Amino acid sequence: MLMSNPWPAAAMRLALLLLIAALIGLVSGRVTLALLLALVLFLGVQIRSLIRFERWLRRGRQLRPPQSEGLWGSLYEHFYRLQRRHRERRQRLAELLRRFKESANAMPDATVVLRGVGEMQWWNATAARYLGLEWPRDQGQRIANLLRHPVFSEFLARGDWHGSVKVPSPLDEHLVLEIRIVPYGQERKLLLARDVTRLHRLETMRRDFVANITHELRTPLTVIQGVAETLSEQDEADPEDFQRSLELIREQSRRMSRLVDDLLLLSRLETDERKSAAVPVDVAAMLEVLAVEASALSGGRHRIELDIDRDLQLRGDQTELRSAFSNLVVNAVKYTPADGRIVIRWFVDDDAVHMQVVDTGSGIPPHHLPRLTERFYRVDSGRSGATAGTGLGLAIVKHVLSRHDARLDIRSQLNKGSTFDCLFPVKLGMRGLAASASSGTNRP
Ligand code: ADP
């Protein structure tokens, strides 16, 4: 709304006052005094309005201005309107800021606003969680005092912030953060941090895997290469030497082939997203066959016993289960010295359906147990020749079991022996007529 100009009316009013005063002065013969009194009156009214104006301003701006006419009324109105506009703008800005903070807090990545040499001005909830920041305690603190990792310090000091760095969180060293810095405005920077722990772990696993597989393949290849070269250098090889060399080549080729087979199986187990088959499997019969194979491998050096519930079957995948159980039985033979005893057990109790392999072998130091099912993890990496496995056996067991909603429990005592216990959910076990009716179709 356009306000009318109050000045002409105010001037008119003053002129009228002076005119009346002059007339009274003329009539009374004291013109100067009358004009002076009129001016004092005018000044008094102005001072009163000024005092009211000051009081209104002082009391708070929310109140509507006091009713007033003329110049002062216009002044009040003007001020009041300016104030309202200012208040509305402030509310709009506060709302905008609130929404910005809300959206920044909802971001899954950490955001920290930095000023000058890295003083933290503001951060979102994720940053508080990742970096352990507390409001307002840490406001104004330098980020370099908080994130002291040398890689980050160097990155911050660099001044050109292309790319990113990976550093552990100061709160939890297992939490890996990928940090970027984006400069904006004057002397301001935005620090963005993302949780890349999973990605980092996968990357490390991939690197380890390539290193492991290269190492595993290099050993037999070096042996084969060496034997082949020796043979080619000899003009006339002794037939016995020749046979021994051939046997060495055969053994190392078998080792490589085992490695490739295990790798293929493991890769299939890992990538196959379908659930394992759930057909009744005659595990008892399977274990009997495995016991015969184990006896052949043992060559009479061990006592191998079966303690199995012949009526108990399991809903699952025949091929996968055979691979898993075979790995456990073969391990028991491999890691049990001569004259040791190996018991293969198959039973159900209140908690689970168990397939157990108990041996009186070398046992495993406790600190190795949690990592035993990792690919290529071995307790004694120095083993070679016939006993050298692929290091993939227990990884295969773990995958097969997890595809059957089962788990592996390993109990072991050094130099006394180990028990590898596969625990399947009770609901996968079956017995009685249904089992015996279908058992024939599931035999290998
Ligand atoms: P490997 O091919 O080396 O046998 P596994 O994954 O089957 O690989 O086993 C991993 C490691 O666990 C083995 O290298 C061995 O050190 C240890 N291990 C497995 N089974 C037994 C056992 N029955 N007794 C003692 N140690 C065992």
Side-chain angles (χ1 to χ4, degrees):
M1 187 180 70
L2 210 71
M3 281 200 298
S4 58
N5 184 358
W7 286 105
M12 279 289 288
R13 223 171 290 154
L14 179 61
L16 199 65
L17 178 72
L18 290 178
L19 193 65
I20 294 170
L23 281 176
I24 295 173
L26 279 176
V27 173
S28 63
R30 308 183 89 156
V31 178
T32 317
L33 183 67
L35 280 177
L36 201 67
L37 282 175
L39 280 176
V40 168
L41 179 73
F42 179 74
L43 205 64
V45 170
Q46 301 310 312
I47 288 175
R48 195 176 67 112
S49 296
L50 199 64
I51 291 171
R52 278 171 70 193
F53 186 51
E54 189 274 337
R55 204 179 294 153
W56 172 65
L57 280 182
R58 190 154 33 89
R59 273 207 194 136
R61 293 149 178 211
Q62 311 292 8
L63 302 171
R64 265 205 83 81
Q67 280 299 320
S68 205
E69 291 290 314
L71 200 58
W72 284 101
S74 161
L75 215 60
Y76 278 138
E77 205 48 46
H78 207 69
F79 243 82
Y80 183 62
R81 227 176 284 165
L82 272 178
Q83 268 181 5
R84 219 173 42 198
R85 214 177 305 153
H86 180 230
R87 204 162 47 233
E88 281 167 6
R89 198 174 303 153
R90 223 175 38 201
Q91 274 169 357
R92 262 205 313 275
L93 278 176
E95 174 64 14
L96 208 68
L97 195 66
R98 195 178 60 77
R99 261 186 277 152
F100 166 75
K101 281 187 179 174
E102 254 176 29
S103 58
N105 272 335
M107 277 195 330
D109 295 347
T111 311
V112 184
V113 175
L114 302 175
R115 204 180 59 177
V117 283
E119 289 134 23
M120 295 180 283
Q121 287 226 290
W122 183 85
W123 52 84
N124 67 356
T126 318
R129 222 174 44 245
Y130 286 175
L131 305 173
L133 296 175
E134 206 176 287
W135 188 269
R137 186 195 67 190
D138 295 318
Q139 200 197 15
Q141 274 238 42
R142 287 191 187 185
I143 185 86
N145 292 341
L146 184 90
L147 263 171
R148 290 170 173 274
H149 199 281
V151 172
F152 176 74
S153 309
E154 197 189 305
F155 182 59
L156 188 67
R158 214 161 66 193
D160 97 80
W161 295 294
H162 287 300
S164 60
V165 284
K166 283 194 199 122
V167 291
S169 148
L171 277 194
D172 174 4
E173 62 178 80
H174 298 297
L175 181 71
V176 183
L177 300 175
E178 183 187 51
I179 297 186
R180 279 171 200 285
I181 293 182
V182 186
Y184 74 99
Q186 269 196 342
E187 291 275 294
R188 274 172 206 276
K189 299 181 262 299
L190 210 58
L191 178 141
L192 302 167
R194 204 155 59 102
D195 176 3
V196 290
T197 314
R198 226 177 82 82
L199 223 68
H200 183 71
R201 202 177 299 144
L202 282 176
E203 175 68 12
T204 315
M205 264 169 67
R206 191 190 59 81
R207 218 176 309 136
D208 286 356
F209 181 72
V210 174
N212 278 325
I213 196 83
T214 315
H215 174 78
E216 295 295 330
L217 285 172
R218 185 176 289 149
T219 317
L221 275 175
T222 311
V223 175
I224 292 175
Q225 218 170 357
V227 173
E229 265 166 31
T230 319
L231 280 182
S232 69
E233 277 164 14
Q234 287 172 350
D235 294 335
E236 258 180 62
D238 170 33
E240 234 174 77
D241 263 4
F242 189 73
Q243 277 310 317
R244 255 203 309 277
S245 301
L246 275 188
E247 186 44 45
L248 211 56
I249 290 177
R250 240 180 257 131
E251 186 192 294
Q252 295 303 322
S253 322
R254 272 199 299 269
R255 185 171 167 191
M256 280 200 289
S257 159
R258 257 198 331 262
L259 185 68
V260 171
D261 287 348
D262 277 0
L263 272 175
L264 282 175
L265 176 59
L266 197 57
S267 140
R268 194 174 63 70
L269 289 171
E270 276 178 347
T271 51
D272 194 353
E273 289 187 351
R274 283 170 305 153
K275 276 212 70 100
S276 301
V279 294
V281 178
D282 189 352
V283 175
M286 182 191 284
L287 295 179
E288 277 167 355
V289 175
L290 287 179
V292 173
E293 286 175 9
S295 300
L297 184 67
S298 152
R301 289 177 302 128
H302 307 94
R303 208 162 77 225
I304 299 173
E305 293 169 16
L306 279 168
D307 174 11
I308 54 180
D309 180 342
R310 287 200 164 68
D311 191 30
L312 178 62
Q313 301 211 350
L314 186 77
R315 249 186 269 272
D317 185 304
Q318 164 104 15
T319 318
E320 290 182 12
L321 290 172
R322 192 182 199 288
S323 300
F325 297 162
S326 162
N327 271 307
L328 292 181
V329 174
V330 169
N331 275 354
V333 175
K334 273 193 324 197
Y335 301 110
T336 302
D339 295 331
R341 178 166 166 249
I342 295 162
V343 186
I344 302 170
R345 303 181 70 203
W346 174 236
F347 63 97
V348 61
D349 62 17
D350 290 345
D351 303 323
V353 176
H354 298 258
M355 142 61 193
Q356 277 182 359
V357 182
V358 186
D359 66 49
T360 56
S362 55
I364 303 154
H367 65 275
H368 288 294
L369 293 182
R371 300 196 55 191
L372 223 52
T373 55
E374 284 176 23
R375 287 188 262 182
F376 298 113
Y377 191 85
R378 295 188 180 97
V379 174
D380 178 6
S381 52
R383 233 175 261 272
S384 62
T387 52
T390 60
L392 297 171
L394 291 180
I396 291 173
V397 173
K398 186 180 119 180
H399 270 89
V400 168
L401 292 189
S402 92
R403 284 167 62 80
H404 285 79
D405 297 322
R407 65 185 175 86
L408 180 66
D409 185 28
I410 310 170
R411 299 182 289 276
S412 190
Q413 265 187 305
L414 210 52
N415 300 324
K416 289 217 166 129
S418 318
T419 298
F420 286 77
D421 193 356
C422 309
L423 292 96
F424 295 88
V426 174
K427 65 174 194 290
L428 291 188
M430 51 192 292
R431 60 167 75 252
L433 277 179
S436 45
S438 56
S439 63
T441 56
N442 290 294
R443 277 177 190 266

